[in-house]
Amino acid sequence: MAPTTRPNNEDREPFEPRQSEHPALHPSITNVPVTPGFGLDEEKEPAREKNNSLPFDPETATPGPAWGDKGSYFPKQSGNDRASSSTEQAAGAPTGEELLKRLSISSESTKKPDLADVDPRAAHPGLNLSGRLISATFAVPYNLGYSKGNDWEMNSRHGTSALFDSFSYLASSSSPWNHTLVGWTGEISNAKATVEAPVQPTLNKAAAPIPVDPKKPAPQQQQPSGIRVGREDRERLEKQLERHGGKIVPVWLVDEVDDGKDEYVLKDQSRWRTYAEHELYTILHYKQNEPADGRAARKSWADYYRMNKLFADRILEIYSPGDIIMVHDYQLMLLPSLLRQRLPNIYIGFFLHVPFPSSEFYRCLSRRKEILEGVLGANMIGFQSFSYSRHFSSCCTRVLGFDSSSAGVDAYGAHVAVDVFPIGINSISTTRQAFEAPEVEERIKLIREMYAGKKLIVGRDRLDAVRGVVQKLQAFEMFLEKYPEWQEKVVLIQVTSPSAVVSERGDNTQEKMVNKISDLAAKINGTYGSLSFTPVRHFPQYLSSEEYFALLRIADVGLITSVRDGMNTTSMEYVVCQKENHGPLILSEFSGTAGSLSGAIHINPWDLGGVADAINDALKMSSKERDDQHQELYSHVVSNNVQSWTNNYLKRLLTNLSSFDQSFATPVLDRAKILSQYRQAKKRLFMFDYDGTLTPIVKDPAAAIPSDRVIRTLKTLAADKANAVWIISGRDQAFLDEWMGHIPELGLSAEHGSFMRQPLSDEWENLTEKEDMSWQQEVIDVFQHYTDKTQGSFIEQKKIALTWHYRKADPEFGAFQARECQTHLERTVAKKYDVEVMTGKANLEVRPRFVNKGEIAKRLVLEYGDAAPEFVLCLGDDFTDEDMFRSLRQSKLPTDHVFSVTVGASSKQTLASWHLVEPSDVISVISLLNGFADAGNVGAVAVVEGYIPENRI
């Protein structure tokens, strides 16, 4: 039998936020079995087949597609039923929306497997797949116990059963993939078998008592400073993990490294989950934390960044070209981008297992940009329901300014697909555990005897406000009041297991929740109970798998009232367990499962009266209604199992990779890398565009004046004698002199390289004074013609270039007139003179061909001679800056020394190597190099320097 992923009472989680002192959470309460007559010591492990130490069993997973002639997960089809595959139908889709349409038509028109089900490498030859799949999840599927020099204790980890089942399938011989699982070790504890009592000193019984000074504190026993894990023990763990089935690669998150002894020192292990579970989990479930001074959030953000960076390092150690990387859940939302920064053409999928909130709520997150940028490093992003995917796309547009649609987001020069993949469960394994274990039958018998003649409503949730346990009890109380005929006939069995999520920092949230639930249960029992009858049985504990499945099988109604949830697998396990009883399922509409289980009775958990009515309806439902509802639910759960979910996601990912050219994607700037290279370099060159790079684009060009922060940041940067800082702009000399001329260390270049002013000089050099400029009058005449016809447009006349602006005109009409004007100029002036017509952001510019920013960039690099700069940072936002990027690509500078960065939310394809979203990001990066780490930069500082800056500015 496949070992269950449901927790046993012995396997208590070692990573609770702190030991609770609440009496209801005391082991004397939580260790009491739900079923009378079965003590913890009497529990028997279900019969397990070989390889049984895994929390999932690859050999017993439902067969998946296999390479070659090993067979297929799908039933065979006759040759006459042949239809074009979904891969073939999707090929050549010009847009994301068209791709979704073709795939939808394909899935509806045929159930026949295509080549991707049998051999993904043959189905997508252009991707050069290796056949390897690397899954990144927050923690390995074990709780680890450590004893120096001995084998590691490995116990099944609680939660995420569906995800572990997916890994089980991928690790099995039924899957076409060579699978590797990468995860954190989790909080490592001392092995139970080796915990020794402190050695007591031997006392001479004849000796006199030692005098005790009451003013002097009693000596405290010295505790070891953390857990120290040597190289041999680390290698032993990796061998054990691989020996237990499937390749699992641990990620070590350590506080210190003792280089002399080659030991990892583990101290504050829970710090690595703090940001994800306190900040992200909270906001993703539509909750907010109490206001704080920001210091704790700053530190936890740095840890979150470092953790994701260490995951990226570990994955790249085992990565080979053609591998697929699959990243799971909110703890690793920065990982896709961190991988993309290192390998721009890597294949990455990301799946979020929890909800994603609306933009109005998500925008409350302080690091909202960084999280979205991190996820957008993936090629495809999957969600549990359509509303979550829609919210994500909306946030990318509202927060980052990227274009988005139902098909995905256009970001960083590529299309990032966004799609919906409701996860399932391993229905075969669930059926086997629920119906084939004799212990389950014994528990069912005892529960029936205990609640003879009563209708049973069963709920099982974690101790978390988003699970809606309080609302469930309040609704049940209203049900008993509203329908008195059910009093003393219905029992609600509510099992509430302690939460593994540190959702708050030390404010007794869990205790408050327990108090509220206990008070409600006591109130209901006091009002509607008697000496012989208790309407609410609340068990705040973990369940053994036998008790869990026994309750699901014997229940008359399943009740799930989560107020915000991802994919609630309990609802699907309930459906499978009810294949004989056909009990109705009442399911919150706010659960991610609601969209999939349309046959359930959907309720709004905040509408207590509505929930009470639903309970009454479920209890009175006729046999035919129960049978019809269960048939629909059961058919869906069995056919849309976790193996199907895994296959569907990977097939859609490969189809998107084949349909869209990802080679032009430009990753987000790696701030840790740029800071590291900056610190190492002795000679540094900076080249900045002005409009759209240092300052935002505005409708009136004269209003684009630099802020005080921009001026101070540039002054600080230019004051370092190792730095040569240049502003290379399309602006004229007068503007640059007025706003930048008072910083003597700055070099200035006006009108796209027509004029130069060296640092520490007031003189401008005209690089075009010997050129024929007679073309200008003809261009002015053309520009004036279109200015007269386009309200809101105007001409900017510089000494060399001429620019026609239409920022203030109607956007659509202005763009139309610009195209007409450009065509006019290219047919006339551009053919007579050596000039080029350039399109900018709401402008047209005509300039000599020999004048461009690329020539200035080339000249500045060549001025260094043989002693080339060791660090070059070049930033610009539009097509005129592509000349600089092109020039740097053609130079002989080492690529690791050059950081060419395009700025803006445009999804344009660029010659730059990196991307920043807006001018404020540019100033943030320059401030980082100046030594000022704002909240968004503390992660990069922590990675490079090994510590977290204390200031919170």
Side-chain angles (χ1 to χ4, degrees), residues 818 873 876 912:
L873 176 59

Side-chain angles (χ1 to χ4, degrees), residues 374-394:
V375 176
L376 287 172
N379 299 102
M380 188 176 81
I381 304 166
F383 294 91
Q384 301 278 18
S385 73
F386 176 72
S387 62
Y388 302 161
S389 68
R390 179 169 52 85
H391 291 160
F392 176 81
S393 297
S394 174

Side-chain angles (χ1 to χ4, degrees), residues 674 677-678 681-689 714 717-718 720-728 745-749 756 758-759 853-865 867-875 884 887-888 891 893 896-901 926 929:
I674 195 173
Q677 184 60 35
Y678 179 84
K682 303 300 182 184
K683 289 177 293 184
R684 314 181 189 108
L685 174 61
F686 296 83
M687 293 175 282
F688 301 134
D689 176 40
L714 290 175
L717 186 69
D720 189 329
K721 294 182 179 179
N723 297 342
V725 184
W726 283 81
I727 307 296
I728 304 176
E745 296 85 1
L746 275 184
L748 302 176
S749 175
M756 292 184 68
Q758 296 290 335
K853 294 181 178 182
E855 291 298 319
I856 298 298
K858 179 179 178 181
R859 176 171 176 167
L860 293 176
V861 171
L862 292 176
E863 285 179 356
Y864 282 85
E870 299 159 339
F871 176 93
V872 177
L873 176 59
C874 178
L875 296 107
M884 290 195 291
S887 178
L888 291 174
S891 71
L893 297 172
D896 287 345
H897 294 182
V898 178
F899 295 85
S900 55
V901 186
I926 301 174
L929 303 182

Side-chain angles (χ1 to χ4, degrees), residues 708-745:
D708 181 61
R709 187 188 179 196
V710 171
I711 296 296
R712 286 187 285 107
T713 302
L714 290 175
K715 274 187 177 180
T716 304
L717 186 69
D720 189 329
K721 294 182 179 179
N723 297 342
V725 184
W726 283 81
I727 307 296
I728 304 176
S729 173
R731 294 283 187 164
D732 60 21
Q733 300 160 269
F735 183 92
L736 293 181
D737 266 334
E738 179 180 1
W739 295 108
M740 295 291 177
H742 63 286
I743 307 177
E745 296 85 1

